């Protein structure tokens, strides 16, 4: 409904006209509401062109709520061996593996910022902690949302994640 209001009276009306979303979910992250909007994968690039303005307008409309756009991706199960094997006509594409979907989801979450590096730390008890290094140039735009990004990623994938802005090496 809020997207329709923006489509009626805003300067991004033309770009929003041909875009649609698949679903929206409200997630409570660290005592703060977050709206996660799922969009079709083919339209993600078009959404990302207008995303900064769209997010700004939606966050104004839903005061105190972070708005995040992610693509709705499908995970195909691993092909089985033995008697339980079903006859697959095609090989499972890399973009449908669990790892690839989680990687792409991470890229969608932090969109205006760019991921410049990742470190996976395995603790003694076997838990994994992923440290994601974001581009220092976008620190002012996304630093206040990093806790929200981590909470949403944990909610959607079950993986612990920490965001950092390291100094670039020269």
């Amino acid at each position: 409904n809020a997207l329709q209001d923006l489509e009626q009276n805003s300067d991004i009306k033309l770009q929003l006209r041909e875009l649609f979303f698949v679903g929206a979910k409200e997630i409570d992250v660290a005592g703060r509401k977050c709206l996660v909007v799922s969009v079709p994968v083919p339209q993600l690039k078009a959404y990302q062109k207008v995303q900064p303005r769209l997010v700004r307008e939606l966050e104004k409309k839903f005061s105190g709520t972070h708005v995040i756009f992610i693509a709705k991706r499908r995970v195909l199960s691993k092909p089985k061996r033995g008697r339980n094997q079903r006859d697959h006509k095609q090989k499972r594409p890399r973009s449908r593996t669990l790892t690839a979907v989680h990687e792409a989801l991470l890229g969608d979450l932090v969109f205006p910022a760019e991921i410049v590096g990742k470190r996976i730390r395995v603790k003694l008890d076997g838990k994994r902690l992923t440290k994601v290094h974001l581009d220092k140039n976008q620190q002012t735009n996304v630093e206040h949302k990093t806790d929200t990004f981590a909470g949403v990623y944990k909610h959607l994938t079950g993986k612990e994640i920490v965001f950092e802005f390291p100094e670039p090496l020269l």
Side-chain angles (χ1 to χ4, degrees):
N1 197 10
L3 284 172
Q4 287 175 341
D5 292 346
L6 280 177
E7 191 177 310
Q8 296 301 322
N9 48 23
S10 82
D11 54 338
I12 50 177
K13 181 194 297 192
L14 292 172
Q15 288 103 338
L16 287 179
R17 183 101 359 167
E18 64 264 3
L19 298 178
F20 59 92
F21 65 97
V22 181
K25 187 191 294 187
E26 194 172 59
I27 298 174
D28 194 32
V29 178
R32 182 174 202 152
K33 297 273 186 214
C34 175
L35 186 67
V36 179
V37 181
S38 303
V39 301
V41 179
Q43 289 190 348
L44 184 66
K45 285 282 184 242
Y47 263 104
Q48 287 179 344
K49 285 180 185 168
V50 295
Q51 187 170 341
R53 285 190 292 174
L54 191 58
V55 166
R56 200 175 320 115
E57 293 295 323
L58 286 173
E59 284 180 353
K60 259 193 263 178
K61 202 171 248 338
F62 305 110
S63 59
T65 303
H66 286 153
V67 179
I68 297 173
F69 286 91
I70 60 169
K72 180 78 172 161
R73 292 187 171 85
R74 170 159 291 152
V75 178
L76 293 179
S77 61
K78 205 170 181 180
K80 294 194 168 92
R81 299 170 137 184
R83 278 193 295 197
N84 298 341
Q85 185 175 354
R86 293 184 59 207
D87 199 21
H88 294 292
K89 300 202 181 343
Q90 294 178 329
K91 191 175 181 230
R92 176 175 69 155
R94 169 88 172 91
S95 62
R96 303 288 193 282
T97 62
L98 184 74
T99 307
V101 169
H102 286 185
E103 292 286 318
L105 175 70
L106 189 58
D108 295 349
L109 271 179
V110 299
F111 168 64
E114 203 172 299
I115 297 172
V116 293
K118 271 174 57 172
R119 304 286 181 270
I120 299 173
R121 181 173 178 205
V122 182
K123 296 182 180 176
L124 287 173
D125 60 353
K127 286 187 179 173
R128 287 172 168 240
L129 177 70
T130 305
K131 292 183 179 182
V132 176
H133 301 284
L134 298 177
D135 192 10
K136 191 91 169 147
N137 300 339
Q138 294 288 333
Q139 184 171 3
T140 55
N141 298 349
V142 296
E143 189 171 31
H144 62 285
K145 288 186 177 183
T146 54
D147 294 337
T148 305
F149 292 157
V152 169
Y153 192 76
K154 170 81 172 153
H155 181 84
L156 295 175
T157 64
K159 294 179 179 177
E160 292 285 336
I161 201 159
V162 175
F163 293 98
E164 297 175 344
F165 295 93
E167 292 294 326
L169 299 172
L170 297 174

